[in-house]
Amino acid sequence: MKIAVLSCFYPYRGGISQFNACLYGELSKKHVVKAFNFKRQYPEFLFPGKTQLVTADDEAVPVESVSLLDTANPFSYISTYRQIRDWKPDVLIVRYWMSYFAPSLGYITRRMKKHCKVISILDNVIPHEPHFFDAPLTRYFLKGSTGSVTLCEAVSHDLLALQPDSRYTVIQHPLYSHFGERKDRFETEEKLGLRHGMKNILFFGLIRTYKGLDILLEAFGKLPDDYQLIVAGEPYGSFDMYQEIIDRLPGKDRILLNLKYIKDSEVSDWFSVADLAVLPYRSATQSGISSVSYHFEVPMIVTDVGGLKETIGDRGTGLVADEGTPECISREIIRYFSDPAIRDNCIANIRLEKERLSWKTFATKLEEFIDRL
């Protein structure tokens, strides 16, 4: 097949771009694949982080692509559509994760649907931080899809609520395996300036309100003195609210902050020293962080929102807090460390998941879905 993929690729940074690069590489083993990239993903004033692009020390793997789509310039919608159409793909794959992209991507998919199958991979149908315009914009986008792929059942439910006649399949988020292997814990703790012999809890990834870092900080304040909290990731917006919580915690000297984007070659440092990753999200669908945790065999504690219970709790790879409160989170953390059998069972189940969630499996299931449409 000739497969066109329209989404963000190198030099854009972040989990969506990493996912696309992995999928592009796997599909290219059997098909002719061409990456159609953004020329501008967001206007700078809409982007809350420091930069949308990789920097010289990110060490991201380049993917050859054609940069065409400027989401803020409707004239580019026309030229992007024409170039994809003229390449004559059998399938167009598009990633969708927030309604901002609905006008640009929807314009293209609704026209390309006349020429080929259009597959939307839906990270979210309704975003984590919703707005009144999300539903109508997403409905507009979905009209251009021949079929949709969701990464968990929770997103499927949102999809059917907006488009009950959708043709879709669920294929769970594959594991990221390009971050290297675990490193020696003692040496890495020395490198990062961590105390030895502590119970290390990790909060990893972009810091956004819905991810609940404030909940975890409050929970950490309820833990004994042999716990250490590591926060590694770039804040989207001000960190002041979190810093105010930290400043009044009795154990603030046991919190390590690394408030910057974590480049690929550094990811293994943080997971090599972690006993447990905590995802105290207020809302969620699936999480790319869980895929990284699986790769490094780090069990998780998650909240019972979106697809986290389905993809982690039901699989036995972590514990699920009944409520996203500091009391519930701290209780589950203490329960995890109080029983070594919980850790052993979680790691055994993670190893089973690592066999199941490969990029080859994802690509095969995607191909089978395309053939059925």
Side-chain angles (χ1 to χ4, degrees):
M1 285 189 292
K2 288 181 69 176
I3 301 176
V5 184
L6 173 61
S7 192
C8 57
F9 289 90
Y10 181 94
Y12 291 98
R13 61 164 37 167
I16 300 289
S17 181
Q18 291 170 345
F19 183 111
N20 293 337
C22 292
L23 180 60
Y24 174 91
E26 190 62 43
L27 290 173
S28 295
K29 294 176 182 178
K30 295 173 59 178
H31 307 283
V32 178
V33 186
K34 187 168 184 176
F36 292 88
N37 205 346
F38 291 107
K39 181 182 294 184
R40 178 167 55 169
Q41 185 176 213
Y42 305 99
E44 288 299 328
F45 74 92
L46 290 178
F47 184 73
K50 293 181 179 178
T51 178
Q52 302 177 51
L53 305 176
V54 299
T55 58
D57 61 351
D58 276 342
E59 301 174 4
V61 177
V63 172
E64 184 178 348
S65 67
V66 182
S67 297
L68 297 173
L69 182 60
D70 180 343
T71 59
N73 180 358
F75 291 106
S76 78
Y77 306 176
I78 301 169
S79 59
T80 301
Y81 156 65
R82 288 174 176 169
Q83 289 206 39
I84 297 174
R85 180 200 62 191
D86 292 348
W87 192 64
K88 297 181 179 179
D90 301 300
V91 182
L92 169 63
I93 297 173
V94 179
R95 295 290 300 282
Y96 184 82
W97 65 98
M98 61 184 298
S99 59
Y100 170 78
F101 295 101
S104 58
L105 296 180
Y107 177 93
I108 295 163
T109 58
R110 289 162 71 107
R111 286 156 179 79
M112 282 303 301
K113 192 177 178 181
K114 301 172 185 176
H115 303 283
C116 67
K117 295 177 182 179
V118 177
I119 307 298
S120 300
I121 299 180
L122 305 174
D123 295 82
N124 308 300
V125 171
I126 301 299
H128 301 299
E129 297 162 346
H131 307 88
F132 71 91
F133 49 76
D134 292 326
L137 285 176
T138 300
R139 285 193 184 96
Y140 171 81
F141 167 78
L142 290 172
K143 288 292 185 181
S145 300
T146 312
S148 298
V149 174
T150 68
L151 304 179
C152 66
E153 290 289 353
V155 176
S156 299
H157 296 155
D158 292 340
L159 170 64
L160 293 175
L162 288 185
Q163 192 181 65
D165 61 346
S166 294
R167 301 178 71 181
Y168 75 96
T169 190
V170 181
I171 313 176
Q172 195 170 335
H173 196 305
L175 302 188
Y176 292 125
S177 56
H178 61 288
F179 295 122
E181 301 304 318
R182 287 184 71 102
K183 298 176 181 178
D184 180 83
R185 174 166 175 154
F186 187 91
E187 292 178 359
T188 308
E189 285 179 336
E190 286 279 314
K191 173 183 175 181
L192 299 177
L194 290 163
R195 301 180 191 181
H196 303 303
M198 304 285 279
K199 299 180 177 74
N200 289 341
I201 303 165
L202 175 65
F203 180 97
F204 186 86
L206 298 176
I207 300 170
R208 302 181 66 176
T209 303
Y210 76 85
K211 293 190 175 185
L213 174 58
D214 55 315
I215 299 172
L216 178 55
L217 290 170
E218 298 283 7
F220 180 74
K222 302 177 183 298
L223 299 176
D225 293 344
D226 57 344
Y227 285 81
Q228 193 163 226
L229 175 61
I230 303 160
V231 179
E234 180 185 356
Y236 267 27
S238 173
F239 192 76
D240 291 349
M241 173 183 72
Y242 308 106
Q243 190 62 56
E244 289 174 5
I245 298 173
I246 293 169
D247 289 342
R248 61 177 168 78
L249 290 178
K252 62 184 178 183
D253 61 321
R254 291 179 282 110
I255 299 175
L256 175 66
L257 301 177
N258 188 74
L259 304 179
K260 65 176 186 178
Y261 182 84
I262 310 299
K263 61 184 182 181
D264 289 0
S265 62
E266 295 175 337
V267 172
S268 62
D269 288 345
W270 304 101
F271 282 88
S272 294
V273 299
D275 294 298
L276 180 69
V278 181
L279 287 65
Y281 293 3
R282 290 183 167 87
S283 66
T285 45
Q286 65 289 318
S287 171
I289 304 304
S290 65
S291 297
V292 184
S293 292
Y294 281 165
H295 174 65
F296 291 105
E297 299 184 358
V298 176
M300 289 160 280
I301 288 177
V302 301
T303 45
D304 187 7
V305 295
L308 296 182
K309 182 178 185 296
E310 165 199 340
T311 56
I312 295 167
D314 293 351
R315 294 287 177 177
T317 57
L319 302 179
V320 181
D322 293 333
E323 298 178 5
T325 64
E327 293 74 20
C328 286
I329 296 293
S330 61
R331 183 166 62 244
E332 292 303 313
I333 291 172
I334 290 172
R335 182 162 80 91
Y336 173 83
F337 284 102
S338 67
D339 186 354
I342 294 177
R343 174 187 178 276
D344 294 342
N345 288 336
C346 287
I347 291 177
N349 288 325
I350 285 173
R351 288 172 179 167
L352 293 174
E353 289 296 277
K354 289 174 74 172
E355 295 179 11
R356 187 176 70 88
L357 298 176
S358 68
W359 287 98
K360 181 179 179 181
T361 298
F362 187 95
T364 299
K365 289 183 177 180
L366 176 60
E367 292 162 358
E368 291 170 351
F369 177 61
I370 291 169
D371 289 340
R372 292 197 302 268
L373 294 172

